[in-house]
Amino acid sequence: QVQLVESGGGLVQPGGSLRLSCAASGSRVSINAMGWYRQVPGKQRELVAVITRSESTNYADFVKGRFTISIDNAKTTTYLQMNSLKPEDTAIYYCTAYRLAYAVRVSKVDFWGQGTQVTVSS
């Protein structure tokens, strides 16, 4: 099984920045893409960003121009650079991985991380 471990969350003031990391380990399952979801209490989990092995990207409208997703050369670690953070960005951020390109198209997440808390507050 593929294990995803997030890091980099924490408390930041509005307008500040954080960089989240997610490292994949475990089985040799081929990963076609990685990404991030987020969730706040009482709301549905929502897609933040996705990046494929070919480094094409897709972002939710609410983070465009502020967040940047990237992936390392081995395609086993993804990063989410979050700038100009707002209080409404406060959430648990979950790393995701997809086995197939088709899974990305239909938002079928194959692997989930445990989540890392991001709190934006003054």
Side-chain angles (χ1 to χ4, degrees):
Q1 181 68 287
V2 172
Q3 307 292 326
L4 303 176
V5 180
E6 304 98 331
S7 62
L11 175 65
V12 65
Q13 63 180 314
S17 298
L18 284 174
R19 181 179 172 88
L20 305 183
S21 300
C22 172
S25 63
S27 72
R28 289 167 53 87
V29 173
S30 179
I31 296 175
N32 192 267
M34 301 183 74
W36 298 88
Y37 275 69
R38 71 184 188 186
Q39 188 171 32
V40 300
K43 295 185 62 179
Q44 292 189 350
R45 196 173 300 186
E46 59 186 355
L47 177 71
V48 176
V50 175
I51 185 166
T52 68
R53 291 182 63 88
S54 62
E55 300 187 18
S56 64
T57 59
N58 203 330
Y59 295 93
D61 287 341
F62 56 81
V63 303
K64 286 181 178 178
R66 299 189 298 125
F67 292 8
T68 302
I69 190 169
S70 60
I71 195 164
D72 71 346
N73 290 335
K75 315 304 181 185
T76 55
T77 302
T78 187
Y79 306 92
L80 185 68
Q81 178 66 46
M82 305 185 294
N83 300 324
S84 302
L85 283 162
K86 307 173 181 179
E88 51 263 46
D89 294 318
T90 296
I92 300 174
Y93 284 72
Y94 295 90
C95 181
T96 60
Y98 307 77
R99 291 182 58 217
L100 303 173
Y102 176 78
V104 179
R105 292 179 56 194
V106 300
S107 299
K108 172 61 171 62
V109 176
D110 292 298
F111 308 103
W112 293 89
Q114 290 296 111
T116 186
Q117 178 70 48
V118 172
T119 302
V120 185
S121 176
S122 60

